[in-house]
Amino acid sequence: MGNTVAREDFEWVYTDQPHADRRKEILAKHPEIKALMKPDYNLIWVVVLMVLAQLTAFYLVKDLDWKWVIFWAYVFGSCISHSMTLAIHEISHNSAFGNSKAMWNRWFGIFANLPLGLPYSISFKRYHMDHHRYLGGDGIDVDIPTNFEGWFFCTRFRKFIWIVLQPFFYAIRPLCINPKPITRLEIINLLAQLSFDVVIYYLWGVKPTFYMLAGSVLGLGLHPISGHFIAEHYMFLKGHETYSYYGPLNLLTFNVGYHNEHHDFPNIPGKSLPLVKKIAAEYYDNLPQYNSWIKVLYDFVMDDTISPYSRMKRQLKGEVKQD
């Protein structure tokens, strides 16, 4: 349990991320992929149904014993909450209403955020666009762990704790790595969320409020779906920066597992990413891939050569434009 991993720093690279060049190659060979660059209007109805499902759950748990509130928060609420964060990820790419109605997407993201209990949508969009433009960029991409995380979480037990605390690190890391001025939309997101939380507490009491918040924290921590946090970019194989997952949990996560495809074509909704893989199979079939996020979590903890340091990092050059 106490073995220290070998890596003592990030993998610094001095090349550009591979996704832009591969996108150009694929579009030159398969121009029909451009037809997939359009909104997924079904996403709107899926999100509305998810919000209604959580509202129903809030009502149903209000009179349960605490042990059952905790049980359902992990078994059901956590799945819906984590799935909703990935719906918000889709919305951040304007997949719900399209690029021509960017503000509609922002307002819809605030709506989708409500059953999570904590304001998330607007800030996520700002930082996530940086992640795509400047993948691994030092001081810009807040998906990269801090030096403290890499240094401290260096044993099997500590890596396990790091996975449990993922929601905490994703919330705090932007403030440490790349703090940004608060925007008007972030204030609206916060006020809308606080108002919603107060209404839920006033109507149905503390148990639904606990269910809502606990489901979000548990769903983003030690949970099978959380394997995608590590599977996407942690370097299990030297020289490979992004990995795809083609297992069944894509059904709950808007195909976020198709991560090479997503970074190559961030303006294609998750629903259509399997088609991208099928059309351009010669580019994706031979890339490293996963079939189990649970195994990713297990391997991350148990493999003494893998740690939060197992990421490619870049020193950015030239002008950096952030949201």
Side-chain angles (χ1 to χ4, degrees):
M1 292 287 286
N3 294 339
T4 302
V5 297
R7 181 171 290 279
E8 296 181 353
D9 195 3
F10 297 101
E11 180 80 10
W12 287 89
V13 293
Y14 302 93
T15 56
D16 292 334
Q17 58 169 296
H19 300 289
D21 288 342
R22 189 161 60 220
R23 176 166 57 248
K24 291 177 183 177
E25 282 187 36
I26 291 174
L27 286 177
K29 191 172 181 180
H30 301 287
E32 65 271 26
I33 284 179
K34 292 179 182 178
L36 303 176
M37 299 176 183
K38 59 185 179 181
D40 173 16
Y41 295 117
N42 288 332
L43 176 64
I44 299 169
W45 305 113
V46 172
V47 167
V48 170
L49 288 173
M50 290 169 70
V51 171
L52 292 176
Q54 279 293 69
L55 285 172
T56 302
F58 295 162
Y59 176 78
L60 292 175
V61 302
K62 68 184 178 67
D63 296 320
L64 294 181
D65 289 340
W66 274 105
K67 64 176 182 291
W68 290 111
V69 175
I70 296 169
F71 174 82
W72 287 114
Y74 188 78
V75 171
F76 183 76
S78 64
C79 295
I80 293 288
S81 292
H82 200 138
S83 183
M84 188 64 88
T85 67
L86 294 168
I88 290 171
H89 166 253
E90 286 284 290
I91 296 165
S92 76
H93 285 280
N94 294 334
S95 292
F97 295 97
N99 293 322
S100 64
K101 295 180 178 178
M103 280 304 299
W104 287 37
N105 289 282
R106 301 294 78 75
W107 293 118
F108 192 56
I110 292 173
F111 168 75
N113 196 151
L114 294 177
L116 296 178
L118 299 167
Y120 166 81
S121 177
I122 299 300
S123 296
F124 172 79
K125 188 261 190 302
R126 298 179 72 199
Y127 284 104
H128 188 64
M129 295 304 103
D130 294 341
H131 170 65
H132 275 274
R133 292 191 196 108
Y134 308 111
L135 181 63
D138 184 31
I140 302 295
D141 184 0
V142 299
D143 193 59
I144 299 285
T146 61
N147 279 306
F148 170 78
E149 291 170 72
W151 167 77
F152 184 77
F153 295 98
C154 61
T155 67
R156 293 177 185 179
F157 176 72
R158 291 182 187 180
K159 286 190 289 180
F160 175 81
I161 297 302
W162 184 76
I163 289 173
V164 173
L165 296 178
Q166 280 291 292
F168 170 80
F169 289 116
Y170 270 95
I172 298 300
R173 199 182 292 151
L175 304 178
C176 300
I177 293 178
N178 185 17
K180 297 184 179 187
I182 296 175
T183 65
R184 181 179 66 92
L185 276 178
E186 284 175 305
I187 294 173
I188 293 172
N189 193 177
L190 172 64
L191 294 176
Q193 191 62 61
L194 289 175
S195 300
F196 179 83
D197 295 351
V198 168
V199 168
I200 294 299
Y201 178 80
Y202 177 78
L203 289 176
W204 297 320
V206 70
K207 289 179 180 178
T209 308
F210 174 86
Y211 166 92
M212 172 170 57
L213 297 172
S216 295
V217 173
L218 293 171
L220 296 170
L222 187 62
H223 194 281
I225 297 177
S226 291
H228 81 87
F229 288 133
I230 293 170
E232 290 166 359
H233 297 293
Y234 282 79
M235 197 170 50
F236 281 78
L237 293 175
K238 186 173 177 63
H240 290 279
E241 186 169 12
T242 306
Y243 301 76
S244 287
Y245 156 83
Y246 299 123
L249 289 177
N250 277 305
L251 294 172
L252 297 177
T253 58
F254 301 90
N255 286 328
V256 76
Y258 288 76
H259 218 65
N260 270 300
E261 296 84 349
H262 172 61
H263 271 266
D264 289 351
F265 298 99
N267 55 342
I268 293 180
K271 181 187 75 171
S272 298
L273 293 178
L275 276 175
V276 172
K277 181 181 184 296
K278 182 178 180 180
I279 293 169
E282 69 273 23
Y283 287 91
Y284 296 114
D285 284 352
N286 295 322
L287 291 176
Q289 55 190 254
Y290 300 111
N291 291 306
S292 171
W293 277 336
I294 295 175
K295 189 174 187 302
V296 168
L297 292 171
Y298 177 84
D299 290 345
F300 178 82
V301 172
M302 300 305 293
D303 188 335
D304 293 335
T305 67
I306 304 295
S307 79
Y309 270 142
S310 299
R311 292 290 296 263
M312 287 189 181
K313 204 170 184 182
R314 293 178 171 84
Q315 191 71 50
L316 295 175
K317 301 175 183 178
E319 185 180 4
V320 174
K321 297 180 179 180
Q322 301 184 67
D323 278 5

